[in-house]
Structures are given as C-alpha cells and as structure tokens.
Amino acid sequence: MDLRKVFKHLLPYGIVQLYERNRNIFVDTNADARWRPLNRKHDECIVLANGPSMQTQLNEIRAYAKHADVLTVNSSLKSKDIRNLRPIAHFCADQGFFIPGYDYWSGPFPEFSKDMAAMFSLVDWPMNLYVPTHFYDAAVALGYATNCVQIVTAPLAPPPSDLPPDQKYRLMNAGIFGVGGQDGALFPLYLAVTARYKRIWLAGLDASFMHTSFVDEDCRLYYLRKYGYDNVGQKVYCPFPMTELIHKFYVASVQYDFLKEYADHCGVQIINLSLASIRDFTPKGKLGEDPRPWLRGRLPEDLSPPDEEV
C-alpha cells in the first residue's frame, strides 16, 4: 500500500492542493555538507567506464589526457596504466564497494570491498573519491581515505518525476539530486555535467553483457565479463532471470536518457567513444574529432526494411 496516497486522502483537500502547488518548499534543498563539485582543470574530460573497448583506446586516451581531465570508476585503479593517467576524481556507487562480503551475483566479488583500500593506497597524487551520500561513513570505516585520497559525497537518487524540468535541474546543480545509479558510469557523468565541461568523452561504455549473455546446460544465465584495463575474461553467473537483467538494462537506459536531457540543458556535449556500444543515448565519435551523425533509431540503408504496402 502506498502510504502517500493514504495520507493524501486523509488530509483536507486544501492542504493537499497547497502542497501540490508549492512542492519546492517541501523538497529538501540542502546538499550534504561533504558534497563537492568537481574541481576541473580543463574544458574537456574523459570518463573511463571500463568496458572492453577501452583497451584499444588507451594509447589515444593517454595522449589526449594532457589537455583533458580523467575520471575513473570502480576497481580500475588497480591497473598501473590507469593510475598513470592520474585521474582528478574516482567514483564508486555500487553498494558492493561498501558492504564487506556483499553477494552481488552468485558469489562475493573480491574486487569490491575486500581490496579497495589497498587499491587507494597506491594513489600518490591528490584525488577526490566520490561516494553516494549514504555510504560516506562506510567508506571511511573501510579505510578508503588516505593522505592523497579525500572522500567526498554526491547524490545518486534522481529528483521526483513530477517536478518541472527547470526545478529538477536546479536541484541537481546544487548537489541535492543526481540522475540515478543503475550503471557505474552515470555517477561520474552527472558530476561532469554539473562541472560544465564543454565536452565529455566517454570510453568503455559497451554494455557488453548484452552481447555475451548465454544459458548453460543447467539452465543458468551467465555472461562473459571483461574489463578494458586488465583484458581478462571471466564467466559470471546471474542469480536472477533474463527478464530482470533486461529490466536493469532498461532502467539504466532511462537514466542515461535523463542524463542526456540534463546535459543538453547545461550545454554540455557527451560523445561515446565506443562505436559499437548498445548504449545510444548520445552521439558517437573518435577522440578529439567531431562526433558522427547521430544514428539513433536508424538502420544502415542496406539493412532498412522495405517500405510497407498500403
């Protein structure tokens, strides 16, 4: 039962209308005190999303990073190649990074909370670690902060869907709401948009699990997971059915579309460097070049279906 609907029917009609017309008064308008916007050094940034295609782009990224900020996510700083890029900020959003022994799929991910503190101890340059607001205490308790790594917070939850767009964007600019956290790249992309980079280059956003999902002879769903920073493949079993996997993909797609709307509002251009990525919320292109024509929802001419007869 939705308690909000119950209270709405119990309260006098006039009070309900007052609330509906003045929602912004009742929405929390205070960002967490530990929230910090990105301290950008350049007009462009590169977000590394860790997909397999990132492996083929590392040389180009390494050269381009001389005049673009680098933002990284999850366990990628274990790689010396990624650490050598000296990202200005790192992002961890999944609860598995903050709950020791968290069973995310069919077994605990050792790279989640077990050795994250050791990974951050390898950082020898000033860097902010962004975590969801509600996981700040856990990140501190797990020893993620170091002499070089400062833990700061940012919101994950998107604003209420029935707020006017301009009000949503104001609350997001203030660090009160985010765009959602169904996919790891959403967290840094949101902060990059709030920092008003002119261009955000997105590397490794492949959604490769949608290409490599299978069912074994025991009727168990699995996919082949491969990161762009270690080039090691691993079979990962899913504890839920394909419908739920597709639903998670759909939720992330909705959040990426909302991110694109927010970026357009802020005048920020996002370019996906993974040309074969299933994620199609933004134009694609090569690093340092103008993006290709946006082909969302279109097919190549040689694959287009014939015109239907009327």
Side-chain angles (χ1 to χ4, degrees):
M1 179 180 295
D2 191 337
L3 293 179
R4 290 175 298 179
K5 292 183 179 179
V6 173
F7 286 120
K8 185 174 180 178
H9 286 294
L10 291 177
L11 290 172
Y13 179 78
I15 294 179
V16 173
Q17 291 300 304
L18 178 65
Y19 170 78
E20 294 293 345
R21 294 175 182 175
N22 300 276
R23 286 182 61 91
N24 60 312
I25 298 176
F26 301 95
V27 173
D28 181 9
T29 56
N30 294 309
D32 184 82
R34 292 158 301 209
W35 177 76
R36 297 288 186 278
L38 277 172
N39 184 21
R40 69 184 183 94
K41 302 176 181 178
H42 298 91
D43 289 333
E44 300 182 11
C45 74
I46 306 172
V47 175
L48 305 186
N50 297 345
S53 67
M54 194 177 79
Q55 184 70 31
T56 63
Q57 301 165 351
L58 281 179
N59 287 336
E60 295 177 11
I61 291 171
R62 191 177 296 112
Y64 203 83
K66 296 176 182 178
H67 49 84
D69 295 334
V70 175
L71 311 179
T72 51
V73 301
N74 299 347
S75 304
S76 60
L77 291 178
K78 292 179 180 180
S79 166
K80 185 176 180 180
D81 287 337
I82 304 301
R83 293 198 304 274
N84 286 341
L85 295 173
R86 293 184 171 267
I88 66 166
H90 187 82
F91 298 79
C92 293
D94 197 291
Q95 57 186 328
F97 290 110
F98 309 101
I99 303 175
Y102 177 70
D103 189 356
Y104 188 74
W105 297 94
S106 57
F109 268 124
E111 71 267 25
F112 265 31
S113 63
K114 182 179 179 181
D115 54 357
M116 292 296 287
M119 181 186 78
F120 290 124
S121 70
L122 299 173
V123 175
D124 58 2
W125 67 93
M127 185 189 78
N128 282 342
L129 167 61
Y130 279 86
V131 303
T133 305
H134 52 287
F135 282 132
Y136 176 85
D137 292 336
V140 172
L142 288 167
Y144 290 174
T146 70
N147 290 335
C148 294
V149 178
Q150 180 182 8
I151 301 176
V152 293
T153 67
L156 273 186
S161 59
D162 56 345
L163 288 181
D166 286 347
Q167 187 173 346
K168 289 181 184 179
Y169 302 147
R170 285 197 300 270
L171 294 171
M172 294 164 71
N173 289 337
I176 298 166
F177 289 106
V179 297
Q182 185 64 50
D183 205 36
L186 285 161
F187 201 25
L189 285 170
Y190 156 65
L191 268 299
V193 174
T194 63
R196 299 299 192 273
Y197 284 101
K198 293 181 179 178
R199 271 189 174 179
I200 301 173
W201 303 98
L202 179 55
L205 188 70
D206 303 325
S208 55
F209 69 91
M210 296 296 288
H211 292 286
T212 61
S213 294
F214 305 94
V215 176
D216 65 13
E217 293 181 354
D218 295 321
C219 299
R220 295 182 300 172
L221 175 66
Y222 71 92
Y223 74 95
L224 300 179
R225 184 183 64 187
K226 187 177 180 181
Y227 293 127
Y229 55 82
D230 62 12
N231 205 30
V232 177
Q234 181 182 2
K235 182 186 290 186
V236 178
Y237 281 93
C238 303
F240 40 72
M242 176 62 81
T243 51
E244 186 170 345
L245 184 66
I246 294 175
H247 177 69
K248 291 178 182 294
F249 180 83
Y250 165 76
V251 171
S253 297
V254 171
Q255 293 175 352
Y256 276 118
D257 284 342
F258 179 47
L259 170 74
K260 177 66 165 54
E261 294 172 6
Y262 177 50
D264 289 344
H265 171 79
C266 297
V268 176
Q269 185 180 42
I270 304 173
I271 302 174
N272 188 352
L273 299 176
S274 180
L275 301 181
S277 173
I278 291 180
R279 298 291 184 197
D280 64 348
F281 69 100
T282 192
K284 300 176 182 179
K286 292 187 176 181
L287 191 59
E289 299 180 3
D290 289 332
R292 300 185 178 189
W294 198 9
L295 299 177
R296 184 176 192 177
R298 300 180 183 176
L299 291 172
E301 290 184 1
D302 56 340
L303 295 179
S304 298
D307 295 334
E308 295 183 1
E309 296 183 2
V310 180

